[in-house]
Amino acid sequence: MNRFADEYEEIAANMPSEEERISEYNEVLLDRLDYIMPGLLEEEDFDGWMVIGRENNEDPIISTLLPGSLYGASRITAFLFTKNNRFVLSPYGSQMSDYYESAWKVEGGDIFDSIGKLLMDLRVKTLGVDYSENFALADGITHSLFESLRKQLSGQVNLVSAENIAINWLQTRTDREIEIYRHLDRIAHIIIRNAFSRENILSGMTTTRDVELILKRLASDIGLRTWFGPDVDFQRRGVEDPRSTGVVEEGDLLHCDFGFICNGLATDTQQMFYLKRKSRSSIPEGLQDVVSRTNEVQDILARNFIEGISGNELLRVSLKDAAERDLDATIYSHPVGYHGHGAGPIIGLWNNQEEIKGTGDLKIRNSTCFAIELNNRSPVTSWSGQPVYGFLEETVAFRNNEIDYLDGRQEELFLI
């Protein structure tokens, strides 16, 4: 009996309608504009921040500023934020009146003329725009739009990088968003546990690709969009490759990496399963330790997670602490939010356990969310000392110097 199938059906029956989804999204957007944006603007030296994009080639931040019923920039769309005002310049500006003051209409002529006049009226002397050498998500203004702004402003307004506010807008979460995340994390866990069941996995017949498609279908059937893969692989006694794919067999240690986007928030989760041999009633000695030793690495990283520490320093001290406990750890954690690989400080890469220029230099901030993604390699006696990897990843919130596992974490090897 797969109780997670029943829980999945309950979730499916209670998924919000499109109208309800848009309503919730818009309430969150208004909260963010009212309570997050003013504080971010206070941190900056410039007089205003402009996010501008062209249809079909948009700044990635534009989608985070649009109400839920609008799906992209039309023609050219621009948002302007100052410490006291927020404006939109768009053919659909009148449809955003609950969120922004509309400062341009199509019949008003060239949009850049209106931008220039608005900036002069507001006495904006320094304008932040989205260009960045190190951060793709803060590098959204195209060359042609930058040049059009520069020519229009004729040196009267100084254009500077809005890198910091762009990153912080994307990574900062309200309390309500974190509670939404808690529900999404539960959905992720139920989908994974539902997929990894005897109803879906038959030794000698089911392939890792089959399970990937099951995960994808379980997500799409309830209106969720996976943002990668998903990926499923296995480790097998006597096989060196820790990310093997193909037909699964009894005795395999299975692993999945699964993430979806729902109403503007992305999840990222990895869990591990043992496909039990019918001839055995227990897990082979040492395999359970693979998970518990990886939990130790999670605990070390969580203890070192403090506001103001850089991603690079957090990586360094955590690897040092892990080595002192004889853990063979690799840490590659990252922010999540509007994007699965979100804006904010990177804490290692799977192929780089040294300092990471730019993204690793960013400092941990309060009210942010991360995918605590890492692994630990442990020799397993019952597998003739073969090194076995514990691959774990959980979506967490960081508030008040504490890591919150939103729907708990895997602390034992799950049996199939």
Side-chain angles (χ1 to χ4, degrees):
M1 181 68 177
N2 179 10
R3 71 177 178 86
F4 294 99
D6 294 334
E7 291 190 43
Y8 173 81
E9 291 301 325
E10 183 179 350
I11 286 172
N14 289 286
M15 288 297 287
S17 66
E18 180 72 1
E19 184 177 353
E20 290 169 334
R21 182 194 67 78
I22 290 173
S23 177
E24 179 181 68
Y25 185 91
N26 289 344
E27 289 172 5
V28 169
L29 172 61
L30 195 56
D31 280 349
R32 289 178 56 79
L33 291 171
D34 285 343
Y35 299 112
I36 291 179
M37 186 66 76
L40 299 182
L41 288 163
E42 287 293 336
E43 297 180 25
E44 300 298 334
D45 293 330
F46 46 65
D47 301 317
W49 175 33
M50 177 164 283
V51 180
I52 184 168
R54 180 182 286 120
E55 187 173 354
N56 297 324
N57 190 24
E58 298 156 11
D59 184 319
I61 293 177
I62 282 183
S63 64
T64 74
L65 301 173
L66 291 167
S69 57
L70 299 176
Y71 297 100
S74 178
R75 304 185 191 179
I76 293 175
T77 291
F79 297 89
L80 175 66
F81 301 94
T82 68
K83 290 181 173 64
N84 299 309
N85 305 97
R86 54 184 190 246
F87 300 93
V88 62
L89 297 95
S90 166
Y92 296 103
S94 61
Q95 296 184 27
M96 303 185 222
S97 59
D98 289 340
Y99 314 92
Y100 310 98
E101 181 180 343
S102 179
W104 177 72
K105 295 181 179 179
V106 174
E107 55 269 27
D110 184 73
I111 191 171
F112 289 99
D113 289 340
S114 294
I115 288 174
K117 183 177 185 305
L118 179 61
L119 293 174
M120 293 305 105
D121 290 346
L122 294 170
R123 298 181 180 179
V124 171
K125 298 298 182 184
T126 306
L127 181 67
V129 291
D130 293 343
Y131 65 86
S132 170
E133 179 181 349
N134 294 311
F135 306 100
L137 291 170
D139 194 35
I141 190 169
T142 63
H143 177 76
S144 61
L145 288 177
F146 184 89
E147 286 299 304
S148 295
L149 276 179
R150 186 181 62 81
K151 291 174 184 177
Q152 177 66 44
L153 301 176
S154 303
Q156 298 179 67
V157 177
N158 185 30
L159 299 178
V160 299
S161 171
E163 177 181 278
N164 288 336
I165 194 171
I167 292 167
N168 292 333
W169 167 256
L170 291 173
Q171 74 169 322
T172 306
R173 307 264 73 85
T174 63
D175 288 346
R176 180 170 181 180
E177 285 179 291
I178 290 173
E179 291 312 303
I180 292 171
Y181 245 139
R182 197 179 304 281
H183 177 61
L184 298 183
D185 199 34
R186 181 60 183 161
I187 292 175
H189 288 160
I190 288 172
I191 287 176
I192 292 171
R193 296 294 295 273
N194 191 8
F196 284 81
S197 63
R198 282 286 180 175
E199 289 87 347
N200 293 318
I201 298 177
L202 299 175
S203 175
M205 297 180 61
T206 304
T207 67
T208 51
R209 181 57 178 160
D210 292 334
V211 185
E212 290 170 352
L213 293 175
I214 290 169
L215 286 165
K216 197 173 187 71
R217 175 179 56 78
L218 289 170
S220 64
D221 282 355
I222 57 174
L224 306 174
R225 176 173 63 86
T226 54
W227 62 270
F228 68 92
D231 302 319
V232 174
D233 47 65
F234 61 80
Q235 296 175 78
R236 180 176 294 162
R237 181 175 181 175
V239 177
E240 291 186 6
D241 185 359
R243 302 291 298 270
S244 297
T245 57
V247 178
V248 302
E249 299 176 0
E250 289 183 354
D252 285 348
L253 186 62
L254 299 174
H255 157 254
C256 74
D257 192 353
F258 171 67
F260 61 79
I261 294 177
C262 181
N263 228 15
L265 294 175
T267 69
D268 204 356
T269 309
Q270 294 183 47
Q271 294 191 326
M272 302 190 71
F273 296 79
Y274 178 67
L275 184 56
K276 188 174 72 69
R277 295 184 185 276
K278 292 182 180 178
S279 60
R280 300 189 58 164
S281 60
S282 61
I283 296 173
E285 182 181 356
L287 280 187
Q288 196 69 260
D289 293 339
V290 170
V291 172
S292 60
R293 295 279 279 172
T294 309
N295 287 153
E296 288 186 56
V297 183
Q298 291 176 324
D299 292 339
I300 288 169
L301 184 61
R303 283 196 298 270
N304 291 324
F305 235 97
I306 56 173
E307 189 171 358
I309 193 173
S310 73
N312 285 331
E313 180 66 7
L314 179 52
L315 174 68
R316 186 190 68 79
V317 298
S318 297
L319 288 176
K320 178 176 179 291
D321 291 351
E324 289 175 353
R325 296 181 63 86
D326 294 323
L327 297 165
D328 188 2
T330 306
I331 297 171
Y332 36 102
S333 300
H334 58 87
V336 290
Y338 289 113
H339 307 89
H341 290 158
I346 291 290
I347 309 159
L349 294 169
W350 65 267
N351 62 337
N352 183 1
Q353 294 291 278
E354 304 293 334
E355 289 194 357
I356 301 161
K357 179 184 177 182
T359 52
D361 293 324
L362 289 177
K363 292 179 169 53
I364 302 293
R365 289 172 64 98
N366 191 40
S367 296
T368 50
C369 290
F370 285 82
I372 297 298
E373 182 179 12
L374 44 79
N375 72 60
N376 185 73
R377 191 172 71 159
S378 304
V380 174
T381 303
S382 62
W383 280 21
S384 302
Q386 178 177 328
V388 176
Y389 288 81
F391 297 106
L392 294 180
E393 182 175 20
E394 292 290 353
T395 304
V396 305
F398 174 72
R399 287 182 292 187
N400 304 318
N401 284 326
E402 291 187 359
I403 289 290
D404 178 0
Y405 286 92
L406 297 169
D407 185 51
R409 64 172 180 173
Q410 182 174 4
E411 295 181 322
E412 62 180 10
L413 188 58
F414 296 140
L415 276 176
I416 304 174

